[in-house]
Amino acid sequence: MGDLVSNLSLGFGVALSFQNLGLAFLGCLVGTLIGVLPGVGPIATIAMLLPITFGLDPVGALIMLAGIYYGAQYGGSTTAILVNIPGEATSVVTTLDGHQMARQGRAGIALGIAAIGSFFAGTVATVVIAALGAPLTSLALIFGPAEYFSLMVMGLVFAVVLARGSILKAIAMILVGVLLSTVGLDLETGEERMTLGLPFLIDGIDFAVLAMGVFGIAEILRNLDHTETRDVVRQAIGRLLPNREDFRQSYKPVLRGTFIGAILGILPGNGAVLGPFASYTIEKKLAKDPSRFGRGAIEGVAGPESANNAGAQTSFIPLLTLGIPPNAVMALMVGAMTIHGIVPGPQVMTRNPELFWGMIASMWVGNLMLLVINLPMVGMWVRLLKVPYHLMFPAILMFCCIGIYSINSLPTDVMFIGFFGIVGYLLIKFGFEPAPMLLGFVLGKLLEENLRRALILSRGSLETFIDRPVSGVLLLVAVVLLVVALLPSIRKGRDEVFTE
Amino acid sequence: MKKIALTLAAGLALAATGAQAQGNYPQRPITMIVPFAAGGPTDVIARIVGDHMSRTLGQQIVIENVAGAGGTTGITRGAQSQPDGYTIMMGHMGTHGAAPALYPNLKYDPAKDFAPIGLAAGTPIVIVAKKDFPANDLKGFLDYMKANADKVNMAHAGVGSVSHSTGIFFNSVVKVKPTMVAYRGTGPALNDLMANTVDYMTDQIVNVAPQILGGNIKAYAIATPERSPALPNVPTTKEAGLPDYEVSAWNAVFAPKGTPPEIVAKLNDALVKSLDDENTRKRLLDLGGVIPSKEERTPAALQKLVESEVARWTPVLKAAGASAE
């Protein structure tokens, strides 16, 4: 304990220096801005800004880059709520109720609760990293391919629960998502699958392309369909910040979301994406009136947003303690560290304590700054909704195109968001939800790869999934969840049959 | 007659501006395509070397990451770009050695479609195993593998990755056929190696050195003629009794075919200067990189290296049935 205090005071000593405070602020500000611009993700931004950090000392450079990362997570929720475009896989869930709240004139409250929930989650996650970072590392090592597969199965069950309308349609969409995720080179054999001989499909479909198409572009098409609803949003801005009743409804979801997000964030291979989905599912199951979800329930924003931010922070644990990046942004941080002459790995903690603890302390500082930057801006963001739509949609469209091009510099990606936009529009018209498809897409790849990996390692024996305790428990939970989720709808289905 | 004179004059004027443009090269920022995601070993080397080259050339070198298909997407784009010296690329062992064997529909020929600039840095390959592996040296490791051939698992970071090609090469040299387990990138593969889920892999020193020093995995040998200062306790393959396995993931700068020789010379000069710079050298050495000697840095030497690497990898990978299409 004494160690923790002295370590943290070392960390705050580093993080609170004038220069590092400025860099943290700059990072958070840039991060928020790029998060708000649809499509321009943290990966592209950090890559673009890497050369600028050459002149800085390593601690300052990493503090700034980390600020961009969690700033973008924050900003991503803003676009999810205001214009229904999830910037990251983790903000897909926020679109479900967040954007509905905005349509009902409660955009300010949605943004406010997202910011406050995220700040709370960030604070808790910082303490978790500082106190338990090293011991929690072993959690990353418990998760082998079999455990991962079972976790993903559980995740897919969550996706079923996410559905607003027909369960059958939701399952169909999940399967379409899983199918889309199998496009590209087969990981084990290197064979091309479903690429239609097109070279740009060799690496599969990019998540950002799919998300921006079926959410962003499709949303624009739908809005152009009937402009009246947009006017409603414009007139009714309503209160800007959450009131007592909102807090009463959200504090429990925030606590639960923080807990779930923090744990899933530590897992390797982008386990953090599951956090918001898991949180949403739990809130929907616990709610007295689950039908409110998908129609602007504040719990559906508070929980997932907290989970999202907690996960974003704890995903630094494998990076800082093991030197192993759990996702693409963290891989970029590894590169940034090596460019600055710090070899990430287990020895960073002892060899560069000022970097290690300085970064941890700066996370909390960064979260505070984000709150300070974001709360006053809520009013400004909400006013954006007042911009006439015929001016706003070309801007959104343009930023989507620039953003998607900045990720891989591929013109085909830009054309693909157009294609998926039309697909997404048709799906909405036929009453299919795009969110379960996106989750199926994100989990599909992990699901397939880990299934095959586990089977290769067990030489084809399926028992490996049940023999391994963690994997067995996860599968059991998945089965129970599925039964609970399906039972009422089967019953309801029967009722409908009888009434007809 | 007048027309001809005019055309001639115009032609001359054009030629003159052309020559002038070359003389003043570079007049605007240069794009260096890195065919991998930002943050990986090739990207880091490109940024370190590019930073110093920018200062010599007086123009910024902008790194553009065009990842995909084992690096061949970015290199294809680079090969097809204008040969005016404003688009160059950082190729490596995979894109200019292993790719022809892995991608039968490859749109470029590593030996014919480029104007080589020079070798930038090599990153040695290390043979590593999980820390519980029941062998303490390379010989014990090989003996165990031969006795338990059906039980051993080798991890790699995906078809077309350095760990995949060098791992197949290793298996063919020591004549074992382990079960291959593919991962998406080095990170997840290392994670499972540290968790004792898989048995061994071969990968670039940059990726594995921290875990070796941290005691999370074992290193049996480094596949270079000399030991690395980053891992002084790890014997070379020659010392450990496996001289046939010598391999390093080299990274080199290329321009598209047809780039004027003056521009190639200028770029080569900037590259050579960056490799002589104390600060750049230190950063590369910290990564465990090997800095090429003066003779290895010439365009001619790089051309020879590419030809010999294609000749070396093609039979090894074809024999293993590896293909990315």
Side-chain angles (χ1 to χ4, degrees):
Chain A
M1 200 63 207
D3 265 1
L4 179 64
V5 173
S6 68
N7 284 333
L8 274 181
S9 65
L10 166 73
F12 276 104
V14 176
L16 291 178
S17 78
F18 186 71
Q19 185 210 339
N20 289 342
L21 270 180
L23 288 170
F25 181 78
L26 193 68
C28 289
L29 193 68
V30 171
T32 309
L33 288 179
I34 57 136
V36 170
L37 294 180
V40 188
I43 299 180
T45 314
I46 295 178
M48 278 185 275
L49 290 183
L50 260 185
I52 300 174
T53 68
F54 269 11
L56 302 172
D57 70 299
V59 187
L62 286 165
I63 285 179
M64 185 174 100
L65 295 176
I68 295 176
Y69 170 55
Y70 34 77
Q73 300 280 341
Y74 248 80
S77 336
T78 308
T79 42
I81 291 169
L82 294 181
V83 286
N84 203 21
I85 300 178
E88 293 272 304
T90 45
S91 45
V92 171
V93 190
T94 310
T95 60
L96 297 177
D97 280 277
H99 188 61
Q100 286 305 321
M101 285 179 76
R103 282 174 164 261
Q104 292 160 13
R106 284 159 54 84
I109 298 161
L111 290 171
I113 204 73
I116 293 163
S118 295
F119 172 69
F120 176 79
T123 307
V124 173
T126 306
V127 175
V128 169
I129 296 174
L132 301 168
L136 278 178
T137 305
S138 55
L139 191 64
L141 296 182
I142 292 173
F143 267 74
E147 286 76 15
Y148 233 83
F149 169 75
S150 303
L151 183 72
M152 292 305 136
V153 170
M154 206 172 90
L156 282 185
V157 174
F158 289 153
V160 176
V161 185
L162 273 181
R164 250 182 279 184
S166 142
I167 289 232
L168 192 67
K169 279 184 177 171
I171 292 176
M173 291 312 288
I174 293 169
L175 293 180
V176 171
V178 173
L179 272 181
L180 285 176
S181 78
T182 61
V183 174
L185 278 192
D186 179 287
L187 185 62
E188 298 288 345
T189 64
E191 291 295 318
E192 270 186 47
R193 298 189 305 193
M194 299 200 277
T195 59
L196 313 171
L198 301 170
F200 56 87
L201 281 178
I202 286 184
D203 283 301
I205 299 163
D206 195 278
F207 167 80
V209 174
L210 185 65
M212 218 173 288
V214 295
F215 275 90
I217 309 289
E219 172 75 10
I220 290 173
L221 290 175
R222 186 173 66 158
N223 282 328
L224 292 176
D225 240 11
H226 38 86
T227 34
E228 312 88 273
T229 50
R230 294 294 310 189
D231 291 333
V232 176
V233 178
R234 280 206 278 135
Q235 277 151 18
I237 289 294
R239 264 186 304 123
L240 279 186
L241 290 179
N243 63 10
R244 203 160 225 229
E245 174 62 16
D246 295 324
F247 278 118
R248 200 189 54 75
Q249 281 183 319
S250 340
Y251 81 95
K252 278 186 191 154
V254 167
L255 286 175
R256 287 188 286 257
T258 304
F259 179 75
I260 296 164
I263 290 187
L264 290 173
I266 302 163
L267 300 180
N270 220 356
V273 293
L274 268 184
F277 290 103
S279 161
Y280 190 86
T281 311
I282 288 173
E283 294 314 324
K284 193 173 173 182
K285 278 288 138 204
L286 289 177
K288 284 201 192 85
D289 177 14
S291 67
R292 281 174 47 245
F293 280 75
R295 298 198 174 95
I298 194 166
E299 301 96 309
V301 178
E305 275 301 305
S306 312
N308 171 1
N309 207 40
Q313 304 246 326
T314 52
S315 61
F316 274 93
I317 291 183
L319 174 72
L320 287 173
T321 57
L322 291 176
I324 290 193
N327 55 41
V329 181
M330 290 299 133
L332 200 51
M333 296 293 285
V334 169
M337 285 169 124
T338 36
I339 284 176
H340 281 280
I342 291 166
V343 184
Q347 60 291 36
V348 166
M349 216 187 303
T350 44
R351 210 188 280 169
N352 310 80
E354 74 296 332
L355 173 94
F356 184 84
W357 295 103
M359 263 190 85
I360 289 177
S362 87
M363 286 180 192
W364 186 79
V365 174
N367 270 287
L368 186 67
M369 281 181 178
L370 281 171
L371 194 69
V372 172
I373 297 173
N374 276 275
L375 276 188
M377 289 222 289
V378 165
M380 197 183 95
W381 295 135
V382 172
R383 226 163 293 140
L384 263 186
L385 287 176
K386 284 196 168 183
V387 175
Y389 203 61
H390 66 268
L391 292 180
M392 198 150 101
F393 87 84
I396 299 178
L397 214 55
M398 194 183 74
F399 280 124
C400 282
C401 294
I402 296 174
I404 209 72
Y405 187 77
S406 72
I407 297 176
N408 292 325
S409 318
L410 293 176
T412 44
D413 282 352
V414 182
M415 292 194 256
F416 252 73
I417 59 169
F419 171 73
F420 281 121
I422 295 167
V423 172
Y425 177 71
L426 292 175
L427 288 177
I428 298 169
K429 282 283 153 194
F430 289 115
F432 288 91
E433 287 289 322
M437 176 174 93
L438 227 49
L439 184 59
F441 180 78
V442 171
L443 302 187
K445 222 172 219 146
L446 295 167
L447 188 80
E448 186 209 348
E449 284 171 9
N450 284 297
L451 171 68
R452 293 173 70 183
R453 217 171 272 148
L455 287 177
I456 286 174
L457 286 170
S458 73
R459 302 295 185 266
S461 158
L462 282 168
E463 282 162 30
T464 180
F465 296 106
I466 304 161
D467 286 349
R468 298 176 71 110
V470 178
S471 163
V473 169
L474 287 171
L475 279 182
L476 191 71
V477 172
V479 171
V480 171
L481 258 176
L482 191 65
V483 172
V484 171
L486 286 180
L487 270 185
S489 83
I490 293 170
R491 225 178 293 134
K492 215 185 295 161
R494 279 206 191 116
D495 291 347
E496 278 163 18
V497 171
F498 286 127
T499 49
E500 266 167 11
Chain B
M1 191 65 206
K2 207 175 169 192
K3 210 172 179 185
I4 294 171
L6 256 177
T7 326
L8 253 173
L12 274 173
L14 237 150
T17 49
Q20 197 188 8
Q22 278 171 26
N24 293 342
Y25 172 85
Q27 291 178 318
R28 52 187 170 92
I30 300 163
T31 302
M32 187 193 281
I33 296 179
V34 171
F36 300 97
T42 302
D43 180 66
V44 170
I45 288 171
R47 283 171 198 272
I48 291 173
V49 173
D51 183 45
H52 192 274
M53 284 175 76
S54 300
R55 272 176 268 159
T56 310
L57 294 166
Q59 283 288 351
Q60 187 67 32
I61 291 185
V62 183
I63 304 286
E64 188 180 3
N65 300 93
V66 186
T72 57
T73 308
I75 297 298
T76 303
R77 177 182 305 186
Q80 291 167 354
S81 60
Q82 284 293 331
D84 55 8
Y86 290 102
T87 308
I88 55 177
M89 60 213 106
M90 185 64 88
H92 90 325
M93 186 207 93
T95 59
H96 284 76
L102 293 171
Y103 301 91
N105 297 329
L106 196 65
K107 295 248 171 29
Y108 61 84
D109 182 333
K112 291 193 182 129
D113 292 336
F114 299 91
I117 306 288
L119 197 57
T123 53
I125 298 298
V126 187
I127 304 164
V128 292
K130 63 180 183 184
K131 66 172 183 294
D132 293 356
F133 202 90
N136 289 319
D137 55 15
L138 188 67
K139 198 180 164 303
F141 174 64
L142 295 179
D143 289 345
Y144 181 91
M145 284 217 296
K146 280 182 181 140
N148 302 280
D150 53 335
K151 281 194 213 145
V152 194
N153 300 309
M154 185 194 94
H156 66 84
V159 175
S161 67
V162 168
S163 61
H164 175 247
S165 305
T166 57
I168 287 181
F169 182 40
F170 176 75
N171 296 340
S172 78
V173 169
V174 302
K175 298 190 180 60
V176 289
K177 275 198 171 346
T179 302
M180 310 264 279
V181 189
Y183 289 84
R184 207 167 279 279
T186 304
L190 268 178
N191 196 78
D192 270 9
L193 195 65
M194 285 159 62
N196 286 312
T197 307
V198 284
D199 296 311
Y200 76 101
M201 70 187 283
T202 57
D203 203 357
Q204 303 176 64
I205 188 166
V206 196
N207 294 330
V208 293
Q211 307 307 338
I212 297 169
L213 295 171
N216 293 328
I217 54 175
K218 275 184 196 174
Y220 288 128
I222 183 164
T224 39
E226 278 159 47
R227 290 191 183 204
S228 164
L231 290 172
N233 296 327
V234 176
T236 66
T237 38
K238 200 172 186 179
E239 291 169 357
L242 191 65
D244 290 342
Y245 189 66
E246 247 177 39
V247 57
S248 119
W250 49 272
N251 295 275
V253 184
F254 294 86
K257 183 176 71 177
T259 305
E262 307 81 25
I263 289 179
V264 170
K266 236 177 184 169
L267 286 166
N268 177 265
D269 172 64
L271 175 68
V272 168
K273 281 198 177 119
S274 84
L275 295 179
D276 284 334
D277 173 65
E278 236 3 85
N279 191 24
T280 310
R281 291 180 74 90
K282 189 183 166 304
R283 287 164 103 172
L284 291 174
L285 290 174
D286 281 348
L287 288 172
V290 176
I291 295 165
S293 65
K294 287 253 183 296
E295 302 75 53
E296 289 171 324
R297 295 177 198 170
T298 63
L302 177 55
Q303 180 64 28
K304 246 170 106 184
L305 176 72
V306 170
E307 284 164 18
S308 69
E309 286 285 284
V310 174
R312 169 197 203 167
W313 288 110
T314 307
V316 172
L317 294 171
K318 287 242 160 98
S323 160
E325 292 203 24

